[in-house]
Amino acid sequence: SNGSTNSQSIYTQAGLHWVEYGDTCGNSLVTDTFQLTLGFSTLSLGNDTTLCAGDSLVLQTNINFANHLWQDGSSNSTFVVKQNGVYWVEVDFGPCFGTDTIVVNYDNTIPFTIGNDTSFCFGDSLLLDASGSNSNLFSWNTGETTPTIWATSSGVYTVSAGSNLCPQTASINIDVLLDDVQFAKDTLLCNGQNAILWASGGDSYLWNTGETNDTLIISPNQSASYSIVVAEDNCFIEHFFQVDVTDRIAIADFSYEINSCKGSVSFTNQSTNATTYFWDFGDGNTSTLENPTHEYAQGGTFTIKLVASKNSCPDTLAKAVQVISLKNIAYFPKAFTPNSDGVNDYYEIKG
């Protein structure tokens, strides 16, 4: 169709073209047609992408000699992207034409803060807010995934906002005053005993008795209540102690069972509210077991004492126990038959 008679020909115009070919004698002519489209093999704006807030992307074709038409009507060889959108370009040069499209998204997460390092009193709380990141994806070091959380304890709180492509992080160090205060427990005393009440975790202390130490030694003769105010900066905690006084705490009691064959006595401790025990078996022997068994050298009547104690406050119970022991009694046979029949051949005393 271009007038060439060679077996090869170069076409530079787009459109519908034809060619005839056959043998050298002019026989068997065949006509074929083909559609020629001319384009730019290197035209590409790149893959669809996502940018971080504040970033920009320069789109270019690298075909600077050709004519350009962008989606906004501009005709430069480059285009600067600064917001979400679908961007395309048409490029032509003579018979050559090409087009390409790219989709650009933005992760709009921006730098943010959740506040300056701070402190507050135990029992209060602080709302931490990461919504200033302009994001809808959040990950706190406490495990929450919400834009806001409540801080109630001391520590460093950190949040990451945005996707993995454009993360922004913020942290805050919080000191909760008096959050580690500890106190002695309420106590039960035997009349005449001392006790030490204490508190820790504050900067200053004030007891209702006027003392300003972190400990208070008391020796009440009746039940009483004590209080202390623990302070740190402008934070205060008041705590009350109950101290009960009694003549006895533990109640001693026991039962027993006598084994006459062995001359022993097994004791069953039936004391209440006791933690330590002391037994006096009345023959010079003692034990601290809870439920002892004692073997007597000989029978007789013995005074058994059990001292049951708690908080060094003892209670004593004594019982007289008559022990019958058969282990030292001698047995004499009435007769024997020394006839070598294996029965009662010998006279033997046992005891």
Side-chain angles (χ1 to χ4, degrees):
S1 59
N2 64 354
S4 172
T5 59
N6 296 323
S7 60
Q8 294 181 344
S9 182
I10 298 175
Y11 287 83
T12 60
Q13 297 292 326
L16 182 66
H17 299 273
W18 56 264
V19 59
E20 291 182 347
Y21 54 91
D23 59 25
T24 56
C25 297
N27 299 318
S28 303
L29 288 176
V30 177
T31 300
D32 197 4
T33 60
F34 61 92
Q35 179 69 40
L36 176 62
T37 301
L38 300 179
F40 299 96
S41 60
T42 60
L43 177 59
S44 175
L45 295 178
N47 297 326
D48 295 346
T49 188
T50 299
L51 303 179
C52 298
D55 290 349
S56 60
L57 176 65
V58 177
L59 302 178
Q60 53 188 358
T61 64
N62 294 319
I63 309 175
N64 297 334
F65 57 85
N67 299 315
H68 291 70
L69 177 63
W70 296 91
Q71 76 289 329
D72 66 343
S74 61
S75 58
N76 296 325
S77 60
T78 61
F79 187 88
V80 179
V81 176
K82 295 183 178 180
Q83 62 184 15
N84 292 342
V86 178
Y87 298 86
W88 55 263
V89 64
E90 293 179 352
V91 180
D92 70 89
F93 184 75
C96 297
F97 174 84
T99 185
D100 195 23
T101 301
I102 185 174
V103 177
V104 179
N105 293 309
Y106 268 83
D107 181 338
N108 292 318
T109 305
I110 59 176
F112 66 101
T113 179
I114 53 177
N116 297 324
D117 294 347
T118 188
S119 63
F120 54 82
C121 300
F122 178 74
D124 293 340
S125 58
L126 177 66
L127 181 65
L128 303 181
D129 189 352
S131 59
S133 62
N134 198 31
S135 175
N136 58 4
L137 296 175
F138 305 92
S139 177
W140 295 83
N141 63 336
T142 56
E144 287 93 341
T145 56
T146 54
T148 61
I149 66 170
W150 286 98
T152 59
S153 59
S154 297
V156 177
Y157 293 80
T158 301
V159 59
S160 177
S163 65
N164 292 333
L165 178 66
C166 308
Q168 296 288 340
T169 60
S171 296
I172 184 174
N173 185 25
I174 294 178
D175 182 20
V176 179
L177 305 179
L178 298 178
D179 64 342
D180 57 349
V181 171
Q182 294 182 331
F183 302 97
K185 296 181 179 180
D186 295 344
T187 188
L188 178 63
L189 297 178
C190 191
N191 201 348
Q193 288 183 325
N194 295 334
I196 298 177
L197 304 180
W198 57 267
S200 65
D203 290 338
S204 63
Y205 307 87
L206 178 61
W207 297 86
N208 64 322
T209 57
E211 282 85 349
T212 56
N213 296 321
D214 57 359
T215 60
L216 179 67
I217 301 176
I218 59 172
S219 182
N221 55 17
Q222 61 182 7
S223 299
S225 178
Y226 298 84
S227 66
I228 186 174
V229 176
V230 182
E232 183 177 6
D233 290 346
N234 293 322
C235 300
F236 304 89
I237 291 180
E238 186 175 14
H239 183 78
F240 293 87
F241 304 86
Q242 180 61 38
V243 179
D244 292 323
V245 179
T246 182
D247 290 331
R248 68 175 185 173
I249 301 174
I251 300 176
D253 192 14
F254 67 90
S255 62
Y256 58 89
E257 183 177 349
I258 301 173
N259 186 329
S260 298
C261 294
K262 295 182 179 181
S264 64
V265 181
S266 297
F267 297 94
T268 301
N269 197 327
Q270 297 175 324
S271 303
T272 57
N273 203 30
T275 56
T276 61
Y277 309 96
F278 180 81
W279 295 85
D280 184 342
F281 300 118
D283 62 351
N285 293 296
T286 61
S287 175
T288 57
L289 296 177
E290 183 175 355
N291 298 288
T293 296
H294 180 62
E295 186 172 323
Y296 288 86
Q298 59 184 11
T301 301
F302 303 90
T303 299
I304 313 301
K305 293 181 180 180
L306 169 61
V307 181
S309 302
K310 183 175 183 179
N311 294 353
S312 300
C313 189
D315 184 46
T316 302
L317 175 65
K319 292 183 180 182
V321 178
Q322 185 178 11
V323 179
I324 299 175
S325 177
L326 303 180
K327 66 178 181 177
N328 293 325
I329 296 178
Y331 296 90
F332 298 88
K334 295 180 179 179
F336 73 105
T337 56
N339 56 7
S340 301
D341 63 355
V343 179
N344 295 326
D345 288 332
Y346 299 96
Y347 186 82
E348 183 180 6
I349 300 175
K350 294 183 179 180

